[in-house]
Amino acid sequence: MSGTFVGMPAFPPPDPPAFPRAARDAVRDTTLRENLRHATHTIRDKRAKAVAELADWQQLREAGKRIKDHTLRHLDQYLVQLEESVTTAGGTVHWAADADEANRIVADLIRATGETEVVKVKSMATQEIGLNEALAAEGIRAYETDLAELIVQLGDDRPSHILVPAIHRNRVEIRDIFLDRMGSWGRPAPDGLTDTPADLAEAARLHLREKFLRAKVGVSGANFMVADTGTLVVFESEGNGRMCLTLPETLISVVGIEKVIPTWQDLEVFLQTLPRSSTAERMNPYTSMWTGPADGDGPQDFHLVLLDNGRTDALADEVGRQALRCIRCSACLNVCPVYERAGGHAYGSVYPGPIGAILTPQLRGTTSEIDASLPYASSLCGACYEVCPVAIDIPEVLVHLREKVAGQGGPGHRLEKAAMKAAGWAMDHPRVMAAGERAAARTRALHPKRPPGATAWTDSRDLPAFPEKPFRDWWKKNRS
Amino acid sequence: MSSRDRILARVRAAVAGAPAAPTPSRDYLASHTPNDPAAVLDLLHENLADYRAIVHRADPAGVGPLVARLLAAHGSANVLAPTGLPPQWLASATPVRVPDNPQSTAAELDGVASVVTGCALAIAETGTIVLDGGPAQGRRRITLVPDHHICVVRAPEQVVASVPQAMSRLDPTRPLTWISGPSATSDIELDRVEGVHGPRTLEVILLSE
């Protein structure tokens, strides 16, 4: 990688391997699994406590679901209203049908300022469209300022989690990245940098502050856009978001069209559910809300780029459109047994985990190998639905997308269909089933560790051992 | 056809024939806390402290000396305050007073040790203070760049129990900053570290009048 590289690697990388192959490699990385397990278990336990504090959680969840469904049903109306409100407040609204158009709009806006560098607030939408790479091609450096995004950017790496993108890195790896790379991006890491998180955060503070203080252009996404007031909202913790939203003269926000909500009052639902679902806090340390450029306070030039990029395709799918309710809290990642083992990179998408498995194939279609494999990246255990603060029935959408993919044909899916058909027949014929179980138990010593053929699944997993005695026999002996 | 028209047309085609969406429900609670100002103030105190803000209590006579003591303890050589700050809050403070000058650059602001402000309101259930750029608060950047923020909350009139109660009192046309504890990150192995880019120390004075 040359020293002039200023973006993150293309995402998805050219020809990403399908999920099963990527997951197989990931589960063999024991450091990665250790980092992930620790992180997901910590957040999921804290989240459960934060949610339990609110006696009306189910009502808030239902309210959030309905607000989003109602908005999606009348999305045209609310987008037009939002455009009017933002324009009245002094902002400028742009519409981008796809990633290329959004990138071109942002690059043109930056070029018009005469600047060649911008500071960025962590944003899934700009990752989705590959904005950093597009700007780099135009000679514009985009600096990621969220600590985790900085770690990812300096390490020529890719994010692996929606909320904590560098969750796959431990402190020793992060120190090494800082020592190795900070100098070629600006202020070098201090000599004798230790691997304590406080020291690492301090190094990031010093490195980024010089960028904040000179930045003339900020680029952000938004968690919510309020149609009736034209207000945009960003939730964050570190203050890097406030820096990017406050100090530059020009602010450009790239936001998916599904992020609009109808009214100011609707925000009160998500201000309660988003922090508790994502960081497991009663409230995240900082939330910024702005309605156009405020006189003498913050950027005096504000641009909103409304992004489609496949969202209207998802909206057209009766079952799948519920994925557009997503508020990007990442609770579903932290409870998912598949994500916990495979890690975020295996999904080949900026949206990993259960939500990525339903959102990405809808945004990008299912023609590529990776996108066709994503609906299978799940055990359908349902934990993701239980924790979702807007009640997206992820298993329902997964099954729906599997049907679609299976309809396309392909070798993996034929194999799966054949296996399911055989299992279904055996279960319908109890004597066959019982005989099979007894035969399996008696021949335990002869069983291979993996079945022949179905390597995609079993390369990264061991088969469970057959019990010594079939369950039916055990039941007969002990209960009858 | 412009992209605007194309996107809107795609949206309309996508939802054509979709069943009517349910009306949003509002049967969640307006507050999770009994309506008792003293208990609400105690809850605010507890939740602010839980997220590592340093909380103090004062009465009108005590607030000036308390601010002076906090600035001295922090070793601040200078202090910035917005023009509308009640003068008595800084009356006993000895550090050099930096005027809140709209022309000052972010780099100049970086040389300021402490900032003292009021707030628009505070939310007990979440331990949050909300700033809206009012006269005692100033522009957003003055509470962002300096490393030490002292924020005075007038109780009971600026204290609400819950987020829904806060929303109905805030003006969305103002630039709003919600602050819950000092700047923090959990990005490294989920170890929480206070202080990254925003003020590393947040002190809140609950002023009972």
Side-chain angles (χ1 to χ4, degrees):
Chain A
M1 191 61 64
S2 82
T4 55
F5 179 81
V6 292
M8 284 186 296
F11 208 147
D15 302 323
F19 181 84
R21 231 176 323 131
R24 181 189 62 207
D25 295 340
V27 294
R28 287 185 181 149
D29 182 341
T30 48
T31 308
L32 172 78
R33 286 187 65 171
E34 184 85 2
N35 295 352
L36 275 176
R37 206 190 117 75
H38 165 69
T40 54
H41 282 249
T42 306
I43 311 184
R44 86 165 75 148
D45 295 346
K46 277 177 65 189
R47 189 208 73 95
K49 278 187 205 136
V51 165
E53 281 187 4
L54 297 187
D56 57 342
W57 185 258
Q58 289 309 329
Q59 285 89 332
L60 285 166
R61 189 177 184 237
E62 181 65 21
K65 173 185 182 232
R66 287 195 189 193
I67 288 167
K68 284 286 192 172
D69 278 351
H70 170 80
T71 315
L72 291 170
R73 178 67 185 80
H74 304 284
L75 190 58
D76 53 335
Q77 176 192 322
Y78 288 117
L79 287 173
V80 169
Q81 189 187 10
L82 175 75
E83 181 185 43
E84 279 170 16
S85 306
V86 170
T87 307
T88 304
T92 308
V93 177
H94 310 259
W95 300 70
D98 56 26
D100 287 344
E101 187 175 15
N103 289 332
R104 200 165 54 246
I105 291 167
V106 176
D108 287 348
L109 288 170
I110 296 169
R111 213 179 299 106
T113 67
E115 294 296 314
T116 54
E117 45 181 58
V118 301
V119 287
K120 279 189 69 202
V121 191
K122 175 177 168 334
S123 138
M124 302 302 295
T126 59
Q127 268 174 34
E128 175 191 319
I129 61 176
L131 179 67
N132 290 7
E133 296 78 19
L135 293 181
E138 303 269 343
I140 297 165
R141 265 195 172 214
Y143 294 115
E144 293 292 345
T145 63
D146 170 74
L147 176 54
E149 295 285 0
L150 174 72
I151 294 164
V152 166
Q153 189 175 42
L154 291 176
D156 285 341
D157 196 359
R158 292 177 291 129
S160 65
H161 190 283
I162 289 173
L163 175 72
V164 271
I167 201 169
H168 57 291
R169 297 288 200 183
N170 63 30
R171 59 187 71 192
V172 178
E173 295 174 294
I174 293 166
R175 184 203 51 194
D176 292 347
I177 290 169
F178 279 11
L179 284 171
D180 198 34
R181 298 306 304 275
M182 264 184 179
S184 56
W185 283 78
R187 182 177 176 143
D191 290 336
L193 179 64
T194 75
D195 64 4
T196 62
D199 246 26
L200 296 168
E202 174 70 12
R205 178 188 179 90
L206 295 170
H207 177 80
L208 287 172
R209 183 151 289 224
E210 60 175 37
K211 296 187 170 65
F212 290 135
L213 295 183
R214 68 168 188 248
K216 296 280 189 284
V217 181
V219 174
S220 83
N223 294 89
F224 299 96
M225 308 183 282
V226 183
D228 71 345
T229 60
T231 308
L232 269 77
V233 187
V234 165
F235 290 64
E236 51 125 6
S237 296
E238 296 170 7
N240 67 301
R242 291 180 65 194
M243 291 276 182
C244 298
L245 299 168
T246 306
L247 298 182
E249 294 163 4
T250 301
L251 173 62
I252 304 164
S253 301
V254 182
V255 190
I257 53 174
E258 83 284 14
K259 294 289 181 83
V260 65
I261 55 173
T263 69
W264 172 250
Q265 192 191 353
D266 292 331
L267 259 187
E268 71 194 16
V269 173
F270 304 107
L271 278 160
Q272 295 184 80
T273 54
L274 179 54
R276 288 177 201 260
S277 295
S278 63
T279 54
E281 293 168 303
R282 293 182 196 104
M283 191 66 84
N284 48 297
Y286 296 132
T287 300
S288 297
M289 303 178 182
W290 70 99
T291 304
D295 189 26
D297 191 355
Q300 292 304 292
D301 196 11
F302 170 58
H303 295 271
L304 170 61
V305 181
L306 292 172
L307 177 71
D308 180 346
N309 203 35
R311 284 160 176 76
T312 46
D313 292 335
L315 186 64
D317 187 311
E318 277 174 45
V319 179
R321 66 169 64 118
Q322 58 184 303
L324 297 177
R325 279 188 220 140
C326 177
I327 56 173
R328 313 282 190 261
C329 72
S330 75
C332 62
L333 278 61
N334 301 324
V335 296
C336 177
V338 176
Y339 174 87
E340 181 187 323
R341 287 165 182 79
H345 290 159
Y347 294 79
S349 150
V350 295
Y351 305 105
I355 186 64
I358 62 167
L359 194 55
T360 304
Q362 294 199 81
L363 295 180
R364 297 201 300 221
T366 51
T367 50
S368 77
E369 201 193 349
I370 178 79
D371 292 329
S373 70
L374 285 176
Y376 295 89
S378 165
S379 62
L380 298 181
C381 73
C384 49
Y385 168 67
E386 294 301 318
V387 298
C388 179
V390 284
I392 301 171
D393 192 340
I394 295 177
E396 182 191 21
V397 183
L398 282 165
V399 171
H400 168 72
L401 292 174
R402 285 180 190 188
E403 279 172 24
K404 273 188 156 179
V405 170
Q408 296 173 185
H413 313 306
R414 278 206 302 276
L415 181 70
E416 185 185 53
K417 274 190 283 187
M420 292 311 288
K421 216 169 148 186
W425 181 80
M427 284 171 176
D428 283 346
H429 297 76
R431 271 189 301 173
V432 175
M433 186 89 167
E437 283 176 355
R438 274 195 294 275
R442 284 188 206 118
T443 56
R444 287 171 77 229
L446 304 174
H447 292 174
K449 282 273 186 296
R450 303 171 184 176
T455 53
W457 176 255
T458 57
D459 271 7
S460 47
R461 296 165 186 85
D462 290 328
L463 280 178
F466 272 96
E468 283 177 41
K469 191 176 283 194
F471 175 74
R472 286 154 198 256
D473 291 2
W474 177 90
W475 181 264
K476 237 185 247 168
K477 187 170 168 216
N478 290 281
R479 290 286 183 278
S480 56
Chain B
M1 198 185 215
S2 71
S3 290
R4 177 185 189 276
D5 293 342
R6 208 152 88 228
I7 293 169
L8 289 173
R10 283 187 199 162
V11 168
R12 285 169 189 139
V15 298
T23 38
S25 48
R26 304 249 183 240
D27 57 353
Y28 49 85
L29 300 172
S31 158
H32 302 80
T33 313
N35 185 18
D36 167 7
V40 170
L41 188 62
D42 286 345
L43 182 64
L44 174 65
H45 188 146
E46 186 185 322
N47 284 338
L48 282 164
D50 194 31
Y51 283 169
R52 316 284 169 84
I54 303 166
V55 188
H56 311 271
R57 302 246 189 166
D59 58 25
V63 64
L66 175 59
V67 169
R69 212 163 59 242
L70 299 179
L71 291 171
H74 198 258
S76 300
N78 54 17
V79 58
L80 186 144
T83 47
L85 197 81
Q88 64 274 23
W89 292 1
L90 270 180
S92 326
T94 52
V96 176
R97 180 96 175 249
V98 180
D100 178 17
N101 179 357
Q103 273 75 48
S104 68
T105 65
E108 283 163 2
L109 213 48
D110 197 30
V112 171
S114 296
V115 57
V116 181
T117 72
C119 68
L121 55 79
I123 306 166
E125 288 177 8
T126 57
T128 305
I129 52 176
V130 182
L131 308 185
D132 70 356
Q137 300 155 58
R139 288 164 302 143
R140 287 181 287 167
R141 62 187 203 162
I142 67 167
T143 56
L144 171 62
V145 182
D147 206 22
H148 180 213
H149 179 194
I150 298 172
C151 180
V152 181
V153 180
R154 297 174 190 271
E157 75 265 25
Q158 289 186 323
V159 180
V160 298
S162 68
V163 169
Q165 288 175 1
M167 292 301 287
S168 59
R169 281 176 52 167
L170 290 169
D171 176 358
T173 64
R174 305 185 73 96
L176 298 171
T177 305
W178 296 45
I179 300 173
S180 309
S183 165
T185 184
S186 301
D187 278 345
I188 302 166
E189 296 183 20
L190 297 181
D191 263 7
R192 189 177 164 100
V193 177
E194 269 80 37
V196 195
H197 305 298
R200 282 181 281 199
T201 308
L202 172 66
E203 304 205 58
V204 179
I205 298 174
L206 303 177
L207 169 60
S208 294
E209 292 177 322

